[in-house]
């Protein structure tokens, strides 16, 4: 494993594009000999959830279930010791931008469950934080 904290980070939300991103990232991680972190940000972009509510707990648990479904291919490609699950609170753009600081690369699908392109949102978030 390289000196980065996350290795390659793949954003995952359960969508077909995210599944493709995880598959590509797993192959790339294997080729590089590095770890793969599959990251799901469970707070919707348009909503701020209070931290200690039943609704918050349900959203987190739903995110955990989706993330668990995204791990088998990556683990079969790399082996379980090389794949890490990252369930993070916050918008996908904000979380992936934060993870990018300690990652070899960040991989996202072309479009998640929203109408807006995920890579544009992540890129915009990172530019605003680094400017």
């Amino acid at each position: 494993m390289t000196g980065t904290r996350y290795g390659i980070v793949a954003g995952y939300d359960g969508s077909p594009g995210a599944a493709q991103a995880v598959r590509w990232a797993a192959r790339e991680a294997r080729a590089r000999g590095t770890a793969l972190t599959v990251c799901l940000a469970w707070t919707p972009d348009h909503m701020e959830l209070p931290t200690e509510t039943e609704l918050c707990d349900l959203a987190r648990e739903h995110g955990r279930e989706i993330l668990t479904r995204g791990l088998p291919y990556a683990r079969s490609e790399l082996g379980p010791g090389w794949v890490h699950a990252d369930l993070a609170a916050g918008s996908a753009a904000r979380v992936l931008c934060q993870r990018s600081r300690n990652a070899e690369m960040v991989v996202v699908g072309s479009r998640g469950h929203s109408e807006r392109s995920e890579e544009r949102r992540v890129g915009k978030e990172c530019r605003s934080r680094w400017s």
Side-chain angles (χ1 to χ4, degrees):
M1 184 158 158
T2 64
T4 61
R5 180 174 172 194
Y6 295 110
I8 294 176
V9 174
Y12 185 75
D13 65 1
S15 68
Q20 285 182 312
V22 168
R23 287 191 293 273
W24 186 92
R27 290 189 302 270
E28 186 67 18
R30 189 183 65 190
R32 291 175 179 235
T34 193
L36 172 63
T37 300
V38 180
C39 180
L40 184 138
W42 58 269
T43 305
D45 290 339
H46 63 279
M47 180 190 312
E48 289 295 323
L49 294 175
T51 56
E52 298 298 325
T53 68
E54 191 171 312
L55 179 59
C56 185
D57 292 341
L58 288 172
R60 184 183 307 109
E61 186 54 37
H62 181 66
R64 186 180 332 278
E65 291 168 6
I66 293 170
L67 181 58
T68 299
R69 290 193 302 263
L71 298 175
Y73 177 83
R75 287 188 172 142
S76 70
E77 184 76 25
L78 292 168
W82 291 87
V83 179
H84 308 285
D86 181 16
L87 182 65
S91 73
R94 183 174 56 80
V95 167
L96 292 173
C97 180
Q98 289 170 344
R99 299 303 187 265
S100 74
R101 293 185 181 126
N102 294 302
E104 289 183 33
M105 73 170 58
V106 174
V107 179
V108 296
S110 61
R111 178 168 290 133
H113 287 296
S114 70
E115 292 299 314
R116 294 178 56 197
S117 171
E118 189 64 30
E119 66 244 3
R120 280 189 242 165
R121 288 190 297 184
V122 173
K124 183 178 179 182
E125 178 75 18
C126 289
R127 280 190 302 278
S128 70
R129 288 185 181 272
W130 291 338
S131 299

